[in-house]
Amino acid sequence: MSPASPPTAPHPRAAPFDEPLRPLRWIGDADGVLELLDQTRLPAEERWITCSGIDEVHAAIRRLSVRGAPAIGIAAAYGVVLGIGRGWSPESPLRPETSSWPARVEEVCDDLATSRPTAVNLFRALDRMRALARAIAHDPLAAAKARLLSEAHAIRDEDATSCHAIGEIGSSLIADGAGVLTHCNAGALATAEYGTALAPLYTAHRLGRRFRVYADETRPLLQGARLTAWELSRAGIDVTLNCDAAAAQLMRSGRIQLVIVGADRIAANGDTANKIGTYGLAVLARVHGIPFYVAAPTSTFDLTIADGSRIPIEQRHAEEVREFQGVPVAPADLPCENPAFDVTPAEYITAILTERGTIAPVNAAEIARIVQPRRPRS
Amino acid sequence: MSPASPPTAPHPRAAPFDEPLRPLRWIGDADGVLELLDQTRLPAEERWITCSGIDEVHAAIRRLSVRGAPAIGIAAAYGVVLGIGRGWSPESPLRPETSSWPARVEEVCDDLATSRPTAVNLFRALDRMRALARAIAHDPLAAAKARLLSEAHAIRDEDATSCHAIGEIGSSLIADGAGVLTHCNAGALATAEYGTALAPLYTAHRLGRRFRVYADETRPLLQGARLTAWELSRAGIDVTLNCDAAAAQLMRSGRIQLVIVGADRIAANGDTANKIGTYGLAVLARVHGIPFYVAAPTSTFDLTIADGSRIPIEQRHAEEVREFQGVPVAPADLPCENPAFDVTPAEYITAILTERGTIAPVNAAEIARIVQPRRPRS
């Protein structure tokens, strides 16, 4: 971990945020509800969705009301609690095999695992909830609910802690005067709070450093325009929006000193699945001699797969490309290529910033050294 | 409209189009009007705009109702005729210095030259109209109008001929089974008819070849989705739409055998200004070992500038990025980087296809050999 360098000129330390931006909140006790900031409505509207059962959580993940690999994992963990929460009782099971709460947890985990395929945090969170449920399978329902809720809170809190650690570790990369390009949203909205790729920017900003962020708008769903630009502006960070296809020219013009993005799944060798467009940016960064960083908690690594060729890539609906908020922008029924993610080979990644330290060079040995010791392969 | 399925082999030569797609048409004699297919309305609506004076032509160019370097040149040429057409007479000049038609032509050319800065065809067409006006400055108004209208028709017809020649020259590049990536719209809608980058595709399709076009949607104004996908579908060509940021992954997946784009201005050394995003595609094509072609008539070359660093690049409004068809997609007042074009260095261009032949390798000597002999520096 490298310490943050001091700003070159003395600035007043930026005021702390009034309220950290957190896209998920649990309301009440173990029979409570999950509230999600509906990210499909931003920036026009800050509307919260209340989820009181797993169908609502599944749908919210699927339609991207909650998105970002760590946030999906947290939402799913809370979804497991909802699965045995106030909407469910062992006396009224839908199917006989769920007449016990541990069986119901298994069913809920299986269901939530089908919501999206690429982000590994989803499966890791569900595995963790499932493992706890198996360990406490003889507890009565009320006690089990409380334990599972605590576990979901722990997943959330660990993510927040990881994000702040990534911010500390990465902030030294953000020099005064730097131009930083990011893609999609790997910010507070994608995590418990503070973000992964955006965490070093928040920390550098709080240290008084002056820099400019260029946010790729990130078609088709415009998470860069709608979410990244919104949350960075809200925090008082200098952000300029650009179309995805303008990134190459920005790099060539000398205005970009580094690229930093998040990740949805990182294979054992460092190959990284992230929002479609990330791979092209990494190649362009290499050609322009610009360092390319991935920021992700260790929960985003999937050491069970050797390389990126085995990461499942979600293909989404053609309507996301052909229409915009219901308005057609292309001929109806036109075939569309709409992968949600691509895979960036490890060789294009300068370093991966995790809460446990920086992985550089990015290869299987360095990843194993940082990621494996404290979180053995499940 | 659904695109026709690819024909099965063997198959008859495709039927000729019922009616060539032409985005500009002159109606009437020298006191007539110019009609433009309003490309801001496509694909939802095929609406024609009637221009009876230069202000309407200027506005149509500026707001991209007519766009594409060759089409802009043709529209401007007709605009000069409108400038001394039925809305104008030497007896009612706006200013004393325009009381003669040749003075009025000078004024009109100066005005239309301010409509957009990058496409050189605009200035070349105006220079040609101005040169004719000076040569016939002693003709009476009626005769001059007729001569100038003939010249505008000639500019249009030469462009159509050039486009068909580019189609013949380039069609051999489109092999059966090929995947062809294009960016923005350099099709019939960007020219008198038939297109530049799309011309080889139309010709190959007429020859019965089976191939698939991948159309970058081309943010911010979605000319790929709205125009290229529309006109290729209309012609029965197999076209798939993709977000701009998906192009790199498409290349990596092996589905792209060549990239072909148009141009707005080509410098003497081959550096090429084209729609923002072209430069990045060219770099990515190089990294993936995919040939990268530019298709443009010789009227798009500007041999008065040595290299691309001197091509003026239009910066357009932030609203094009911040809003989508009037719907805000980013925080209001957010700064945006919105260059309409970028410059691709000649070294990334495999060949330039012109109506006079293929320029390869792309360098000043080859360009001079093909472009200069019959069209000396003006």
Side-chain angles (χ1 to χ4, degrees):
Chain A
M1 177 184 312
S2 45
S5 47
T8 54
H11 305 285
R13 183 175 278 249
F17 306 135
D18 294 323
E19 178 66 40
L21 178 59
R22 297 184 178 118
L24 305 102
R25 56 190 185 205
W26 182 264
I27 306 293
D29 61 11
D31 284 316
V33 295
L34 174 65
E35 291 188 344
L36 302 173
L37 179 56
D38 185 354
Q39 299 188 34
T40 69
R41 300 279 179 158
L42 290 172
E45 197 182 349
E46 291 180 38
R47 189 158 90 164
W48 290 79
I49 295 169
T50 301
C51 299
S52 53
I54 66 158
D55 289 349
E56 290 153 291
V57 175
H58 193 290
I61 293 172
R62 179 114 208 98
R63 73 167 173 264
L64 314 192
S65 290
V66 59
R67 28 65 54 202
I72 290 170
I74 299 163
Y78 283 122
V80 173
V81 183
L82 293 175
I84 54 169
R86 60 179 170 185
W88 181 83
S89 88
E91 284 71 44
S92 60
L94 294 171
R95 286 180 277 172
E97 65 269 29
T98 61
S99 59
S100 75
W101 75 257
R104 170 67 176 166
V105 165
E106 299 286 340
E107 182 189 58
V108 165
C109 288
D110 290 347
D111 180 80
L112 288 171
T114 65
S115 58
R116 290 190 76 191
T118 303
V120 75
N121 310 60
L122 171 66
F123 309 106
R124 188 174 293 283
L126 292 172
D127 285 349
R128 202 166 142 179
M129 298 299 282
R130 204 190 297 256
L132 174 62
R134 289 175 185 171
I136 62 169
H138 298 296
D139 283 11
L141 174 61
K145 276 201 266 202
R147 289 284 298 275
L148 288 164
L149 178 60
S150 291
E151 190 72 2
H153 286 327
I155 290 172
R156 176 200 63 193
D157 293 344
E158 288 167 24
D159 185 60
T161 301
S162 291
C163 288
H164 285 275
I166 291 169
E168 290 297 318
I169 287 167
S171 64
S172 63
L173 301 172
I174 316 299
D176 254 336
V180 181
L181 180 68
T182 189
H183 189 68
C184 196
N185 175 267
L189 291 168
T191 58
E193 61 182 61
Y194 214 64
T196 53
L198 301 193
L201 307 176
Y202 285 125
T203 303
H205 181 66
R206 293 173 76 170
L207 293 170
R209 270 182 232 142
R210 295 161 298 173
F211 53 91
R212 171 165 294 166
V213 180
Y214 289 91
D216 273 358
E217 64 172 358
T218 318
R219 280 281 291 158
L221 296 176
L222 298 169
Q223 292 93 337
R226 295 188 305 101
L227 308 179
T228 295
W230 179 78
E231 68 166 270
L232 293 177
S233 296
R234 183 178 183 276
I237 293 176
D238 179 359
V239 55
T240 294
L241 182 64
N242 59 271
C243 293
D244 303 324
Q249 173 54 26
L250 275 170
M251 290 185 192
R252 186 167 177 236
S253 74
R255 281 177 286 174
I256 306 298
Q257 276 63 56
L258 70 152
V259 181
I260 187 165
V261 298
D264 290 82
R265 191 185 303 210
I266 304 175
N269 72 338
D271 290 354
T272 295
N274 190 47
K275 180 59 55 193
I276 185 71
T278 301
Y279 165 62
L281 283 185
V283 172
L284 290 166
R286 167 67 53 86
V287 170
H288 291 89
I290 296 169
F292 183 89
Y293 298 100
V294 170
T298 51
S299 59
T300 302
F301 286 78
D302 182 356
L303 303 187
T304 69
I305 60 174
D307 63 52
S309 66
R310 295 186 49 229
I311 300 177
I313 298 298
E314 179 181 8
Q315 297 286 333
R316 292 185 61 88
H317 292 303
E319 282 75 11
E320 289 181 354
V321 181
R322 282 196 308 240
E323 299 180 358
F324 188 87
Q325 300 197 342
V327 178
V329 295
D333 304 324
L334 191 77
C336 295
E337 169 74 10
N338 188 21
F341 306 97
D342 57 26
V343 174
T344 299
E347 61 178 308
Y348 287 105
I349 303 170
T350 307
I352 303 177
L353 314 178
T354 80
E355 78 279 13
R356 297 188 195 155
T358 298
I359 297 168
V362 178
N363 59 42
E366 278 299 296
I367 288 171
R369 192 176 69 78
I370 298 276
V371 175
Q372 216 157 21
R374 295 183 241 174
R375 192 184 293 275
R377 193 179 290 210
S378 62
Chain B
M1 170 185 323
S2 39
S5 342
T8 52
H11 45 84
R13 181 178 281 246
F17 307 136
D18 295 323
E19 178 67 40
L21 178 60
R22 297 184 177 118
L24 306 101
R25 57 190 184 206
W26 182 265
I27 307 292
D29 62 8
D31 283 316
V33 296
L34 174 64
E35 291 188 346
L36 302 173
L37 180 56
D38 186 353
Q39 299 187 35
T40 68
R41 301 279 180 158
L42 289 173
E45 196 183 351
E46 292 181 37
R47 190 159 88 164
W48 290 78
I49 295 169
T50 301
C51 299
S52 53
I54 64 159
D55 290 350
E56 291 153 290
V57 175
H58 193 289
I61 294 173
R62 178 115 209 98
R63 74 169 172 263
L64 315 191
S65 289
V66 59
R67 31 63 55 202
I72 291 170
I74 298 163
Y78 284 121
V80 173
V81 183
L82 293 175
I84 54 170
R86 59 180 170 186
W88 180 83
S89 89
E91 284 72 46
S92 60
L94 294 171
R95 285 179 277 172
E97 66 270 28
T98 61
S99 60
S100 75
W101 74 258
R104 170 66 177 167
V105 165
E106 298 286 341
E107 182 189 56
V108 165
C109 289
D110 290 347
D111 179 82
L112 289 171
T114 66
S115 58
R116 291 192 74 192
T118 303
V120 75
N121 310 59
L122 171 66
F123 309 107
R124 189 174 293 283
L126 293 172
D127 284 350
R128 200 165 144 181
M129 298 299 281
R130 206 190 298 257
L132 173 62
R134 288 175 185 171
I136 63 169
H138 298 295
D139 281 11
L141 175 60
K145 277 200 266 201
R147 289 285 298 276
L148 287 165
L149 178 60
S150 292
E151 191 73 0
H153 285 328
I155 290 171
R156 176 200 64 191
D157 294 344
E158 288 167 23
D159 185 59
T161 302
S162 292
C163 288
H164 285 275
I166 290 169
E168 291 297 318
I169 287 167
S171 64
S172 63
L173 300 171
I174 316 299
D176 255 337
V180 181
L181 179 69
T182 189
H183 189 69
C184 196
N185 175 267
L189 292 167
T191 59
E193 62 182 60
Y194 215 62
T196 54
L198 302 192
L201 306 177
Y202 285 124
T203 302
H205 180 66
R206 293 173 75 170
L207 293 170
R209 274 185 226 138
R210 294 162 300 170
F211 54 93
R212 171 164 294 166
V213 181
Y214 289 91
D216 273 358
E217 65 173 358
T218 317
R219 279 279 291 157
L221 295 176
L222 298 167
Q223 292 94 337
R226 296 189 303 102
L227 308 180
T228 295
W230 179 79
E231 69 166 90
L232 292 178
S233 295
R234 183 179 183 275
I237 292 176
D238 180 358
V239 55
T240 294
L241 183 64
N242 59 272
C243 293
D244 303 324
Q249 173 54 25
L250 275 170
M251 290 185 192
R252 187 166 176 237
S253 74
R255 281 177 286 174
I256 306 298
Q257 277 61 57
L258 70 152
V259 181
I260 187 165
V261 299
D264 289 82
R265 192 185 303 211
I266 304 174
N269 72 339
D271 290 354
T272 295
N274 191 48
K275 180 60 54 192
I276 186 72
T278 302
Y279 165 62
L281 283 185
V283 172
L284 290 165
R286 167 66 53 87
V287 170
H288 291 88
I290 295 168
F292 182 90
Y293 297 99
V294 170
T298 51
S299 58
T300 301
F301 286 78
D302 182 355
L303 302 186
T304 69
I305 60 175
D307 62 52
S309 66
R310 295 186 49 229
I311 300 177
I313 298 297
E314 179 181 9
Q315 298 285 334
R316 293 185 60 89
H317 293 301
E319 282 75 11
E320 289 181 354
V321 181
R322 281 198 307 243
E323 299 180 358
F324 193 93
Q325 300 199 341
V327 178
V329 294
D333 304 325
L334 191 78
C336 295
E337 170 74 10
N338 188 21
F341 306 97
D342 58 25
V343 174
T344 300
E347 61 178 308
Y348 287 104
I349 303 170
T350 307
I352 303 176
L353 314 178
T354 80
E355 78 280 13
R356 294 186 197 158
T358 298
I359 297 168
V362 178
N363 59 42
E366 277 301 294
I367 288 171
R369 193 176 68 79
I370 298 277
V371 176
Q372 214 156 22
R374 296 182 239 173
R375 193 183 294 273
R377 193 179 290 210
S378 64

